[in-house]
Amino acid sequence: MGTALNALKMLEYFSSSQPEIGLSHIARLAGLNKATALRHLRALEEFGLIEQNPQTKSYAIGPAALRLAALREIAKPGLDGARQKMQAAMHEVGESLHLTLLEKDTLQTALVVETTQHSVRVSLDPSEIIPVNATASGLCMLSFGPAFLLERLESDTLTRFTDATMTDPKIIRDRVAQIGQAGWANSNGSFEDGVFGYAAPIFGIDQIAIGTIAIAVPEIRATSARQPLILTSLHTLSKELTANFGGQTPETFPTEFHP
Amino acid sequence: MGTALNALKMLEYFSSSQPEIGLSHIARLAGLNKATALRHLRALEEFGLIEQNPQTKSYAIGPAALRLAALREIAKPGLDGARQKMQAAMHEVGESLHLTLLEKDTLQTALVVETTQHSVRVSLDPSEIIPVNATASGLCMLSFGPAFLLERLESDTLTRFTDATMTDPKIIRDRVAQIGQAGWANSNGSFEDGVFGYAAPIFGIDQIAIGTIAIAVPEIRATSARQPLILTSLHTLSKELTANFGGQTPETFPTEFHP
DNA sequence: CGTTAGTGGTTCATTAAATGAACCGCGTTA
DNA sequence: TAACGCGGTTCATTTAATGAACCACTAACG
């Protein structure tokens, strides 16, 4: 059931490490008969989503992908799609959310969705640069983002914001390793007193984080009873936003978040 | 014949002017039964190439397009694909080709493929900025490119390169209108004596030219007998390169070029 | 030099999946 | 109230997808 879908699923086997695949190979990968694999490829090729190298006879993603991506950007300019998903989650959890993206080499707030359900809520300055050592987003980015962030940890001056702020690179690295296992990060008042943060990565095409999605909870509401709700919301957001920005979640990433 | 292809063809109906389409509407556009249209949309949606707006229930291009485009860029970085197509055409026609792209507001040579078949051939300096009034590429760009190029024609100083160079904006505008009808432009020694140029547009997603592909022929070989070959090559290149860069050829564009 | 194992691609009887007319429930408009 | 259009569903009918066996070709190997 779903011929079209089966055809499309063949596209999943192309990756940055394997941008060109031969007929027999992709048939084996997809568990399809060569004949059907070929017919699917031909259909995709006619549409332009697949292209055959006339020399090697092997197949690669075609130019139609570019056209569709351009259309996508017109229909949903990235952040708009993210905002909608964040707003939906905000209604579920009843807390403020913020989306941070890695711009060049700093982590910046791209979008803030504030809850309307509580008068006591966490507000965040959208122009602030996010310190990697003091926020859940920052720690998350150290775990799942590009390696240079971790590497320059020692050479950076790590500001102490509160008593809970970590400034020792060794301790931070330990924490980062834990987060890499769990899939999510938290910060309990290490940036601002009374603010608990929960963050999860948003992955790019190469399965390296391009940003994070975070839920900020005032300490009074940060009870262990509310954690499961927050963590499941965080997990679905991580996956949805990764998809929204055209990224790919690594297979090793946890399928759910545990406290 | 080709369920997958029929499903994919539904994507063709999304455009910048119509980025969201409802079920009944798209079924009508594609000439499909609502039931089959829905099943196709569901398949595309599961893959992520289509997304349904939960409020309006209408459909739009999904985030998977971004992922595929990113993969495409890794596999075939734009110009590489263009070079291959140009080389194939070069072998067919036996003349030098050059690809020019509109960078910001100037027309620049992006790629040159020189023929190896003749010792007398046209060479082009890749760093040169292409004058719009003197080259086939320039005239082509005036016809099919963004409007501002034509609008600033009067305010620009138009250099006279040879006796055949057009410098009167009025005459140029007439010529541009002709080219708009024909689909291709030529320049007979208006940039350099003894060089005949033939050019056709490369369109972007919005059906406005983002560049041109040109064939440069030494006057001695620019016989009327060779024109048909050159023009058909030019036409297929125009379409192929438009596709290569993820663009879309307007429906009003000629299906073949006539001398 | 023949054998083997791999490739990309084709054929055609069999089978499974795509199809579409009619239908439902719902919200708008007349 | 009635008529229309919408998104979505159902199920008998038909059409198109499927896959085992096959061909032609290339590369490696003894």
Side-chain angles (χ1 to χ4, degrees), chain B residues 131-154:
Chain B
V132 287
N133 62 314
T135 63
S137 289
L139 292 168
C140 204
M141 208 58 201
L142 287 176
S143 294
F144 299 102
F148 72 82
L149 287 172
L150 250 184
E151 284 163 8
R152 71 174 187 198
L153 203 58
E154 276 81 5

Side-chain angles (χ1 to χ4, degrees), chain B residues 42 61 73 100 141 202 224 228 254:
Chain B
R42 290 264 167 84
I61 301 291
E73 270 305 304
T100 60
M141 208 58 201
I202 298 166
S224 60

Side-chain angles (χ1 to χ4, degrees), chain A residues 82-103:
Chain A
R83 178 183 287 116
Q84 284 179 27
K85 291 181 173 58
M86 286 166 69
Q87 253 152 4
M90 183 267 280
H91 282 118
E92 252 186 63
V93 183
E95 301 291 353
S96 300
L97 298 164
H98 43 266
L99 175 84
T100 60
L101 293 176
L102 192 65
E103 301 280 353

Side-chain angles (χ1 to χ4, degrees), chain A:
Chain A
M1 27 142 157
T3 314
L5 187 58
N6 284 330
L8 286 170
K9 278 186 177 163
M10 301 188 70
L11 295 170
E12 304 272 44
Y13 299 98
F14 294 91
S15 65
S16 43
S17 58
Q18 202 168 35
E20 288 208 352
I21 314 183
L23 171 61
S24 297
H25 190 187
I26 200 168
R28 238 175 296 125
L29 283 173
L32 294 172
N33 186 289
K34 263 199 305 180
T36 78
L38 181 62
R39 255 175 292 107
H40 285 169
L41 287 170
R42 290 266 166 85
L44 293 169
E45 188 179 17
E46 187 167 340
F47 186 75
L49 268 179
I50 281 273
E51 209 178 44
Q52 188 176 28
N53 185 324
Q55 270 91 53
T56 65
K57 300 276 181 189
S58 55
Y59 300 86
I61 302 290
L66 298 176
R67 230 191 56 241
L68 293 175
L71 285 172
R72 162 73 185 179
E73 269 305 303
I74 289 164
K76 298 231 164 167
L79 290 180
D80 255 334
R83 178 183 287 116
Q84 284 179 27
K85 291 181 173 58
M86 286 166 69
Q87 253 152 4
M90 183 267 280
H91 282 118
E92 252 186 63
V93 183
E95 301 291 353
S96 300
L97 298 164
H98 43 266
L99 175 84
T100 60
L101 293 176
L102 192 65
E103 301 280 353
K104 286 172 189 162
D105 54 358
T106 59
L107 201 53
Q108 296 188 355
T109 304
L111 211 56
V112 179
V113 174
E114 288 199 0
T115 178
T116 51
Q117 293 177 25
H118 300 103
S119 52
V120 177
R121 63 172 183 253
V122 178
S123 290
L124 196 91
D125 179 358
S127 64
E128 248 171 319
I129 287 183
I130 311 295
V132 287
N133 62 316
T135 63
S137 289
L139 291 167
C140 203
M141 208 59 202
L142 287 176
S143 293
F144 299 102
F148 72 83
L149 286 173
L150 250 183
E151 285 163 8
R152 72 175 187 197
L153 204 58
E154 276 82 6
S155 55
D156 274 10
T157 51
L158 302 172
T159 315
R160 156 163 266 121
F161 294 93
T162 70
D163 290 344
T165 306
M166 294 185 292
T167 51
D168 183 348
K170 278 185 187 171
I171 295 175
I172 293 174
R173 280 174 189 276
D174 280 349
R175 183 68 171 284
V176 161
Q178 282 173 33
I179 293 164
Q181 291 297 312
W184 60 281
N186 67 332
S187 68
N188 298 343
S190 58
F191 183 47
E192 213 170 317
D193 272 318
V195 176
F196 278 40
Y198 302 86
I202 297 166
F203 292 102
I205 181 71
D206 50 8
Q207 308 190 345
I208 292 169
I210 56 166
T212 66
I213 178 69
I215 303 181
V217 187
E219 192 164 2
I220 29 162
R221 284 201 299 277
T223 60
S224 59
R226 297 191 74 226
Q227 271 209 16
L229 172 63
I230 289 169
L231 290 182
T232 53
S233 285
L234 205 58
H235 188 263
T236 57
L237 274 173
S238 169
K239 289 194 85 173
E240 285 184 358
L241 292 177
T242 291
N244 180 74
F245 288 103
Q248 203 159 20
T249 303
E251 283 181 25
T252 55
F253 196 73
T255 52
E256 52 180 326
F257 292 166
H258 301 285

